[in-house]
Amino acid sequence: ELFRPNAIKKNFQSDTILSSSSFKPYFLNKLILIKQAGWLSDPVINVFKVTTLSTGFLSKKYLVFDTETEGLNLIRSRPWQVAWLVVEGGKILEKHDMFLDWPNLDVSAGAAKITGFTMEEYNKRKESPRKVWEKFSKHLYDEDTFIVGQNLLGFDVYMVNIWRELMKLEADYSYVERIIDTRALAVAIAKDIPVDKDDFISWQYRLINHRERKLKTSQAFLLKKYNIDHDPKRLHDALYDIEMNFKVFRKQLFDLEI
């Protein structure tokens, strides 16, 4: 009964097993032996491929980040909030939510409404951009770390560059090659587009620039699609967004082999 397709899929797709330290490797080992013996039907073999991908994901290190900004100008809007998670072995090791101190910050009315920004809260929590950068950048430029986020390639990489410029640092996009953009993955999953592993970053850029009227890839939509419990009122807060985004990413790994 344990090895029926539905039972395997149910067990391996549960958040409990993906995040729990009680995950039992012997279960996967038995599944491998049965597959090698040729006892598995095709539907189960397909699930087997998914489970090996998901368990491999557990061993990797990820930086999940998001920024909130003055506006949507990719050249001038300054990031005033940056939040990030450091994840390894499927577990959150670090969680940060920091405000950047810029003179004459001018958050647009639209951005303030969406993010819940208030000048009072900002003045209480703002810190030196360079101090925050030192904490954040050590993970951003760690070559052993994959970088995950929603629409990072279409927006946040530009905000990071603005941040650097304001600190009189030269542009450095070297980390971009390690980005996994969940919006790009969402397009690929929706359109059944296979991954280009030979040129993964260009493949993602093509996908985030794909425009189709009825195609939905927002984080709010993805949370509903994957039946992830969430509070819609808290979306667009950087820290809450990345916590939810990482849950979306884990679900996407079942739909797409990257």
Side-chain angles (χ1 to χ4, degrees), residues 77-125:
S77 291
R78 294 174 292 182
W80 56 268
Q81 181 186 16
V82 58
W84 70 94
L85 305 176
V86 178
V87 183
E88 189 169 9
K91 297 181 179 179
I92 297 176
L93 304 181
E94 297 181 28
K95 184 184 297 188
H96 302 273
D97 182 16
M98 308 186 80
F99 288 8
L100 308 178
D101 183 8
W102 303 118
N104 304 313
L105 188 73
D106 185 20
V107 178
S108 68
K113 182 178 180 180
I114 292 173
T115 62
F117 172 87
T118 67
M119 189 59 71
E120 181 181 5
E121 180 72 9
Y122 173 74
N123 286 331
K124 287 180 181 178
R125 296 181 55 187

Side-chain angles (χ1 to χ4, degrees), residues 24-232:
K24 296 179 174 58
Y26 73 82
F27 181 78
L28 182 58
N29 290 338
K30 287 182 179 180
L31 189 57
I32 293 171
L33 290 173
I34 289 177
K35 176 182 180 292
Q36 290 173 341
W39 299 339
L40 293 178
S41 61
D42 286 344
V44 183
I45 292 174
N46 291 335
V47 174
F48 169 79
K49 292 178 181 177
V50 171
T51 59
T52 54
L53 172 67
S54 301
T55 53
F57 142 78
L58 287 173
S59 64
K60 292 180 173 58
K61 185 177 180 181
Y62 295 94
L63 170 70
V64 189
F65 85 91
D66 185 34
T67 61
E68 300 299 345
T69 65
E70 288 178 305
L72 299 178
N73 189 304
L74 299 182
I75 299 173
R76 292 190 295 273
S77 291
R78 294 174 292 182
W80 56 268
Q81 181 186 16
V82 58
W84 70 94
L85 305 176
V86 178
V87 183
E88 189 169 9
K91 297 181 179 179
I92 297 176
L93 304 181
E94 297 181 28
K95 184 184 297 188
H96 302 273
D97 182 16
M98 308 186 80
F99 288 8
L100 308 178
D101 183 8
W102 303 118
N104 304 313
L105 188 73
D106 185 20
V107 178
S108 68
K113 182 178 180 180
I114 292 173
T115 62
F117 172 87
T118 67
M119 189 59 71
E120 181 181 5
E121 180 72 9
Y122 173 74
N123 286 331
K124 287 180 181 178
R125 296 181 55 187
K126 63 184 182 181
E127 298 184 53
S128 162
R130 191 170 294 276
K131 178 182 176 181
V132 178
W133 177 254
E134 288 174 357
K135 293 182 179 180
F136 175 69
S137 62
K138 67 179 181 181
H139 300 293
L140 187 69
Y141 290 101
D142 179 358
E143 294 184 356
D144 295 323
T145 298
F146 290 95
I147 304 166
V148 174
Q150 175 77 357
N151 200 32
L152 293 184
L153 295 174
F155 186 75
D156 297 272
V157 295
Y158 300 101
M159 298 305 105
V160 169
N161 191 54
I162 290 172
W163 185 359
R164 290 183 62 93
E165 287 182 346
L166 291 169
M167 296 187 296
K168 308 301 181 185
L169 299 175
E170 293 184 1
D172 184 351
Y173 291 98
S174 59
Y175 66 92
V176 168
E177 292 291 334
R178 291 177 282 106
I179 285 179
I180 304 174
D181 194 314
T182 53
R183 181 167 172 264
L185 300 189
V187 174
I189 292 167
K191 304 299 294 181
D192 196 23
I193 299 172
V195 176
D196 183 351
K197 296 183 180 180
D198 294 327
D199 195 358
F200 185 58
I201 193 67
S202 295
W203 176 81
Q204 290 186 91
Y205 267 111
R206 289 195 297 272
L207 291 173
I208 65 169
N209 287 305
H210 177 80
R211 295 291 181 266
E212 187 175 321
R213 178 171 293 183
K214 295 184 179 181
L215 182 61
K216 297 181 180 180
T217 58
S218 70
Q219 177 142 297
F221 171 79
L222 295 175
L223 289 168
K224 292 179 181 178
K225 172 185 175 180
Y226 290 114
N227 296 315
I228 297 172
D229 289 336
H230 66 284
D231 182 355

